[in-house]
Every structure is written in C-alpha cells, then in structure tokens.
Amino acid sequence: MTREELLATQTRIASYIHRTPVLTSRLLDEMAGARLFFKCENFQRMGAFKMRGAVNAILQLSEEQRAKGVVTHSSGNFAQALALAAQSIGVKAYIVMPENAPQVKKDAVVGYGGQIIECASTPIAREEMAAQVEKETGAYFIHPSNDLEVILGQGTAVLELLQDYPDLDYVFSPVGGGGLIGGTALAAHYFGQNCKVVGGEPFGADDAYRSLQSGLIESNETTNTIADGLRTQLGDINFPIIKEHVEKIIRVEEKEIVAAMRLIWERLKIVIEPSSAVAFAALLKEKQSYAGKKVGIILSGGNVDVTKLPF
Amino acid sequence: MTREELLATQTRIASYIHRTPVLTSRLLDEMAGARLFFKCENFQRMGAFKMRGAVNAILQLSEEQRAKGVVTHSSGNFAQALALAAQSIGVKAYIVMPENAPQVKKDAVVGYGGQIIECASTPIAREEMAAQVEKETGAYFIHPSNDLEVILGQGTAVLELLQDYPDLDYVFSPVGGGGLIGGTALAAHYFGQNCKVVGGEPFGADDAYRSLQSGLIESNETTNTIADGLRTQLGDINFPIIKEHVEKIIRVEEKEIVAAMRLIWERLKIVIEPSSAVAFAALLKEKQSYAGKKVGIILSGGNVDVTKLPF
C-alpha cells in the first residue's frame, strides 16, 4: 500500500462518509500532561469508523461483483457499516450474525437494509455460514478487518487527523481485529512527521500485544472485556503492517477502560462506546512517557446502550 | 438593546468562550419532518451557554467595580459560569449557594476559583445572603438571567447560529429564567430573515407559558421537573423582550423530555442535560406545524451526573 493509494481512498469514499471533527479539552490535557486531539469517529455515519472501510471495500468491486452483493460476518459495528454502505451505494448486503446477537443490533442492520442470516454463536459457524452464502449467492465476502481495502478505508480517519494537525508526535488507536490500527499505522507512516503509533488493548483480549512480543499471530485466550469491539482477532493481512509500523501496544485493565470512558463523557460531553475509551486509557496509564507531546487519540465509535452503562 | 450592541457583545466575549459547533442528523430530520440544526452549547466552556452571559456581564464592569469582585446566587450552571468567567478575567467571585446543593456542584465552583457562601435553601434566603455579601464586600451583583448584559451574552449563541445558517425559519430555545430565550429573541429579531422564536417549557415549571397568556409575570406554582435548569422564574427585564419577540411557548411532559434527551444521546452521540432536551421535545410535540422548515434548536448544556440517568 502506498501513499497514493491512501489519498485515492480518501477521495473515493468522501461523499459517503463524514469528515469527523477533532475535539480538545484543556482539562484532559492537564490530566494527561500532553496536548490531546480526539478524532471523533463516534460522529461517523452509523456511529463508528467501520463505515470508512466498508464503503471503500464495496467501491473497489467491479460492476459485475456489485450486482451479486456483498457478505460479511459480524455481530458488531461492521455488520451495520456494511449494511449502510451497501445501501448507500445500491448493493445488496448479506450479514451473517450469531443467533444470540442482541435484538437492537439486528434491528439496526435491518434498518440499514441488510439481510440477516443467522448462525450458531461460534467463530467457525460464522465463517462457514458466510462461505455458504458466498457460494449460494455469488456475493463478495468482505472481512471486517483483515482486508486491504478495509484497512485503507480505516486509515483515512488518521489521514484526516494529520491533515488537520500535521505535527502530531503520536497517535493512539484501539486494537481489535487490526483494521483500524493497521490503517492508522499506514496513514502515520506516509503523512506524519515522524508520528509514532501506539495501540491500546484490553488485558482480557490481548492477542495483538502477545503477537508483537512473539512475532507470530497469537490467539485471544479470553475475550473477557467490556470493550466488545476489541474481542476480535488479528489477521495475516494487517499483522505485518502492525509489526512494521506500530511502536508498542499498552494493555489496560477493565476499570481503566471504564474510568477513561467516563472522563470522555463528562469532559468532552460526547457518547462513546467502551472500545473507544481504550486508546485514551492506554495513554493515561503511561502518561509519563508522553509528557508535553502532541497526541492524537482515536475515539472509534459511539454505539452503546445508554440504558446499560458501566458507571 | 440594538443590533450593534449584540455584535459588540460577540466581539467582547469572543476570546473567553468557544464558538460552538452545529450538529445535524439525517435520522432526526426524518423523525421531525424538518431540517434541524442543533447549536451545541453543551460544548461551551464549563459545559453550558451560561458562560456567555457571565463573561459579558463582568467585562462590562469598570476597573473599580471589577476590583471588588462579583456575586451571584445560583445552585446551577450560572454558579460555575460566573466563577470560571471571573477567574478567566481575573476577578474575585462570591457564589451564594444553598447549603443542600450537591457536593459535586460545590466542588466545581471551588475548582473554578469561586468562593462559596452557603445559605438556607429558599429563594428569599438566597437573595438576602447575596445582598449581604454585596454590602459587606462591595462586590457587584450579577443576576443569573434577569440582567441586560447577561441576556446580550446569551444571545450570542443564536447570533453565531444565524451567522452559520442565515435562513432558519425558527429557533427553539428552552425557557427557564428567561435569559437564554430573551437573548435568542433579540438575535433572531436582528439577524434572522423573519426567523421566529419558540420556547419549550416543562409543564412542571410553566411560569413563562402562563405569563405569555396573562401578559403579566406569573410565578411557578411547582418546580417539579427533571429539567433542573428551568425551575427558575422569569424576570422583569427579560419578560418584555419575550413578550415582544417570542411567537409561542410549547409545554412538554416529563416523559417527553426524557425521550428527547435519549434521542439526542443515541443519535447525535452527545451528552446533554435534561433542560437541554426541552426545546427538541417541544418541536417533536408539535412537529406537524414545522414540517419542511429549517429549525435551529439550542442544546443549552451538558452538565449531568452520568451515573444517574433517567433512562
């Protein structure tokens, strides 16, 4: 992936997404001892950065491919993102979701025009069902994170951030399946002025941290975290990018995630989901290392049940 | 008050406040059947529009007056606003608060450098204590809403909104003590293109509605509303402005306030306090009257205890 491909991606998806705002807070700067620039993907269409990658992946298909639709498996934001992106572009979307997925998430997918195919609640069942849909319909399979076009799309968030603030010293990103931090790493590499990328990851789903330690893709031993968007697994397409361009990954405790989330709600006055708070929690945890620096922080999404908050 | 005074106020306070963003939402537009422009004063410094009026009132004092400080009585956002405004300008602030005010609010005032003077929890006790402080210290008394300079300051929110969107057909404002809707009415009168002003008020504290009906300032018979910022009383300075320039006031039920608040949280992904939701609730209640119109809606503040939500 090149600098030019990232710029072309930005142009390609521009009319389908929002250029999201960047918020700052004197009080949070004081707390962190650094100058913070929060990239607010919670204000993105359908409420998360996932829209960027979903739109880009569909737009890169041929007319013939588009005519047969797209398929993915996801119980989270990518399910909604692919449904809305497909609807916006005029393509059919099949979304494989576990049968026990929350009704509110199923409703959202249907609201965006997606067709849900239910499966058993295991990773293998999801992949098998997606493969079956692909075979039966001819729909094109788009992985939520381990896909070059998805990674390029997600990278446009920090591309925008660096266009607004070119001299950031660091960008902090949450780490789930690796699509966001992979795209972020490319954007920082090509458009930063020696801008380093740091990941935040829950202890309860720390495959990326351990993968960077071992140099091989490690599996999550547990997925016990409130950051439900980060329970997913690194892939073989994004891991090499992460290995090359991410400086380090900081693991955080559940209570640190909740505390960071609450600070964002109370001080920035915005609604973010737990996964979104992980990058900020990571910065706060090791703030002495970033004192006085200019730090971008990705707030990845805002899709949270406001009747069930952890504080 | 003239057009020029409002513009001069905007210039005067500019370096002490944020020019707040305006958010839009396709989904909320569809729900309302109108085009909505949400003026986000929850992103204002200290979290509410009150900062505007507090800054303006202090800046209009002479050097001699400033040297003796300012005093107000408030248990709400104006307490924090006057403390922070005074600190920013370098003036001492005495804040009379009822002894049973929540500790979190007292802490915020102290955090902004204000000196709290406690009093009994009745309107008369508050006024008497403020008068006593004024007498003993020579501090200048600034009323939270019934003050010309405060009204002009609050009017700059909708002045900004109309600079961004000059052709709004309506602006909806919550109605509490009358400072915000009074300033809004002046801004719409001078800077709108036939832009009408509508107020939203809780049934549980409907002094402004009844005052417009009778033509005289009526008292709140109850203050039973979750919209704690709107329990206050209209005054003799803002009521004539409201009577002249506000088209109507729509009263809303408590459950309508909570539903509107939740929609804003879920769809705009921002944190607003209950009082902030009242204008939007009023629009939704009578939306058939505003179909197809361009409607500005003031979201007045975001200071809410996120651990105690009504949904």
Side-chain angles (χ1 to χ4, degrees), chain B residues 1-280:
Chain B
M1 285 133 300
T2 64
R3 191 175 194 283
E4 288 63 40
E5 280 178 293
L6 252 175
L7 285 173
T9 301
Q10 181 179 37
T11 305
R12 188 180 305 121
I13 68 176
S15 65
Y16 295 94
I17 64 153
H18 295 319
R19 184 168 182 126
T20 52
V22 177
L23 293 183
T24 60
S25 159
R26 298 180 202 192
L27 193 132
L28 294 182
D29 283 2
E30 280 169 27
M31 283 188 61
R35 289 183 60 194
L36 309 182
F37 301 85
F38 293 94
K39 179 65 172 170
C40 293
E41 288 295 297
N42 59 318
F43 293 146
Q44 190 49 266
R45 285 187 72 197
M46 59 61 60
F49 73 92
K50 297 275 186 183
M51 189 66 186
R52 297 173 182 271
V55 166
N56 191 49
I58 298 176
L59 289 178
Q60 289 290 65
L61 300 181
S62 67
E63 283 304 318
E64 201 174 324
Q65 287 170 319
R66 290 191 199 182
K68 291 180 178 168
V70 292
V71 55
T72 195
H73 53 71
S74 165
S75 58
N77 282 325
F78 196 75
Q80 297 177 47
L82 195 71
L84 180 57
Q87 186 184 57
S88 303
I89 298 168
V91 167
K92 175 141 182 97
Y94 304 92
I95 312 293
V96 175
M97 297 182 86
E99 57 199 0
N100 61 355
Q103 191 60 40
V104 60
K105 297 200 172 186
K106 294 181 186 173
D107 291 346
V109 168
V110 172
Y112 291 137
Q115 181 179 327
I116 295 174
I117 295 101
E118 294 194 340
C119 67
S121 178
T122 69
I124 289 174
R126 280 161 49 147
E127 287 176 22
E128 285 179 353
M129 182 59 84
Q132 189 181 325
V133 172
E134 196 181 351
K135 193 171 167 190
E136 286 176 6
T137 64
Y140 187 89
F141 176 72
I142 300 177
H143 191 280
S145 54
N146 199 40
D147 177 297
L148 269 184
E149 301 301 339
V150 170
I151 294 167
L152 283 167
Q154 318 306 28
T156 59
V158 164
L159 172 52
E160 287 175 8
L161 178 63
L162 286 166
Q163 287 166 340
D164 292 343
Y165 300 94
D167 60 345
L168 297 181
D169 299 303
Y170 290 90
V171 172
F172 276 62
S173 166
V175 189
L180 178 61
I181 196 166
T184 295
L186 291 174
H189 174 66
Y190 287 122
F191 297 93
Q193 298 163 6
N194 193 27
C195 174
K196 298 182 189 72
V197 173
V198 177
E201 193 174 36
F203 270 102
D206 66 348
D207 59 318
Y209 174 86
R210 288 183 292 103
S211 299
L212 275 193
Q213 300 290 312
S214 72
L216 302 168
I217 296 179
E218 304 287 342
S219 295
N220 277 319
E221 286 160 1
T222 66
T223 55
N224 295 327
T225 175
I226 189 176
D228 53 342
L230 308 185
R231 292 174 190 155
T232 45
Q233 211 31 76
L234 281 193
D236 59 347
I237 296 176
N238 49 50
F239 181 56
I241 302 170
I242 294 168
K243 203 156 63 167
E244 186 171 352
H245 294 298
V246 171
E247 185 176 77
K248 73 184 285 194
I249 291 177
I250 297 171
R251 290 178 299 175
V252 293
E253 307 281 357
E254 294 299 291
K255 65 175 189 297
E256 293 168 329
I257 298 171
V258 172
M261 178 176 167
R262 183 168 171 179
L263 274 172
I264 298 285
W265 282 54
E266 292 184 335
R267 298 302 170 176
L268 292 185
K269 310 292 184 193
I270 63 175
V271 170
I272 62 165
E273 58 192 78
S275 304
S276 277
V278 171
F280 182 45

Side-chain angles (χ1 to χ4, degrees), chain A residues 87-108:
Chain A
Q87 186 183 57
S88 302
I89 297 168
V91 167
K92 176 140 181 98
Y94 304 92
I95 312 292
V96 175
M97 297 182 87
E99 59 200 359
N100 61 356
Q103 191 60 41
V104 60
K105 296 198 171 187
K106 294 182 185 173
D107 291 347

